[in-house]
Amino acid sequence: EDQVTQSPEALRLQEGESSSLNCSYTVSGLRGLFWYRQDPGKGPEFLFTLYSAGEEKEKERLKATLTKKESFLHITAPKPEDSATYLCAVQGIFGNEKLTFGTGTRLTIIP
Amino acid sequence: DTEVTQTPKHLVMGMTNKKSLKCEQHMGHRAMYWYKQKAKKPPELMFVYSYEKLSINESVPSRFSPECPNSSLLNLHLHALQPEDSALYLCASSQTQGVPYGYTFGSGTRLTVV
């Protein structure tokens, strides 16, 4: 069974203070690892898909990286509008179209 | 059009009511999903439709009944729900099997069962 563990559960940063969120996963053959951002009461918003170890993707202040066991979401010089829950999910080669989500990291950026 | 539209946004229903949630996408995606999300928890998969056929049912109680009338529409029919079924119900869509593209989620329906 595919499993995803995210840490920390919650993170409070000062505006401009860079940090990283961790996503550890176990899957029987990775088809893709996904990062989403979710604001309270809203649906998850797609950020990145990573397919193979060594891959990196960037979008504004966010950069996602992937190894064979974990993924990191690096946030550089965050702003208050980056406050949200960040979800990591994996899709395995045996799971049809199923995504398995982690419990997320609640990120708060303090002005 | 790069959106998944869900209606209604909010729904309050009694335990004896019958109601339906609706989801629509016009991105040409051939896989559509229903997820359930409780507060401060990750989304949990309920159903997957691929090419308008039910391909995954994650042992969901029969009081939840999905329907996919065509490739753009997905419904979730609700009947005799329990208070513990109160949650955010999310619809999503994706290009189907092959290279895994990111799901596009709707904004959800906030369901309260009283």
Side-chain angles (χ1 to χ4, degrees):
Chain A
E1 185 176 331
D2 301 341
Q3 289 190 325
V4 178
T5 303
Q6 291 187 248
S7 62
E9 184 175 319
L11 182 62
R12 292 171 63 89
L13 300 172
Q14 293 290 329
E15 184 174 359
E17 181 185 0
S18 301
S19 189
S20 296
L21 314 182
N22 178 262
C23 171
S24 298
Y25 66 92
T26 55
V27 63
S28 300
L30 181 69
R31 291 182 69 200
L33 183 142
F34 304 86
W35 282 100
Y36 287 86
R37 168 196 170 123
Q38 187 173 26
D39 294 302
K42 299 289 181 65
E45 175 190 346
F46 172 73
L47 294 173
F48 304 108
T49 307
L50 300 168
Y51 300 108
S52 58
E55 190 174 2
E56 298 182 353
K57 289 193 176 174
E58 288 188 65
K59 178 180 179 180
E60 296 181 354
R61 295 177 292 282
L62 298 175
K63 178 180 176 181
T65 62
L66 181 66
T67 73
K68 288 187 177 180
K69 294 183 178 182
E70 57 192 351
S71 177
F72 292 94
L73 184 65
H74 307 278
I75 182 161
T76 302
K79 299 181 178 181
E81 54 262 40
D82 294 321
S83 297
T85 294
Y86 289 85
L87 294 166
C88 173
V90 297
Q91 188 177 57
I93 59 175
F94 300 113
N96 292 318
E97 306 298 331
K98 180 178 180 178
L99 286 186
T100 299
F101 282 89
T103 52
T105 294
R106 290 193 309 279
L107 178 64
T108 304
I109 308 300
I110 304 162
Chain B
D1 189 351
T2 57
E3 287 187 346
V4 173
T5 303
Q6 289 188 244
T7 55
K9 293 191 183 304
H10 301 276
L11 178 63
V12 179
M13 61 184 291
M15 289 189 285
T16 59
N17 291 160
K18 286 185 180 181
K19 296 287 185 182
S20 296
L21 310 184
K22 181 179 176 181
C23 174
E24 191 167 5
Q25 59 90 11
H26 296 288
M27 295 176 282
H29 289 173
R30 300 312 298 269
M32 297 185 75
Y33 314 80
W34 281 114
Y35 278 81
K36 172 182 177 179
Q37 188 176 27
K38 303 283 271 185
K40 297 187 178 181
K41 298 289 187 181
E44 296 178 1
L45 181 66
M46 300 175 72
F47 302 104
V48 179
Y49 273 84
S50 182
Y51 289 93
E52 298 146 58
K53 293 191 187 306
L54 184 65
S55 62
I56 297 178
N57 176 341
E58 291 285 295
S59 301
V60 178
S62 60
R63 58 185 183 269
F64 295 91
S65 176
E67 177 195 21
C68 189
N70 59 56
S71 60
S72 299
L73 285 175
L74 186 66
N75 298 319
L76 186 63
H77 303 296
L78 314 172
H79 174 55
L81 295 192
Q82 303 297 311
E84 58 264 29
D85 296 320
S86 298
L88 181 68
Y89 287 84
L90 295 164
C91 175
S93 70
S94 71
Q95 298 189 37
T96 191
Q97 294 157 337
V99 178
Y101 298 97
Y103 289 17
T104 301
F105 281 87
S107 294
T109 294
R110 173 70 62 189
L111 174 67
T112 303
V113 181
V114 298

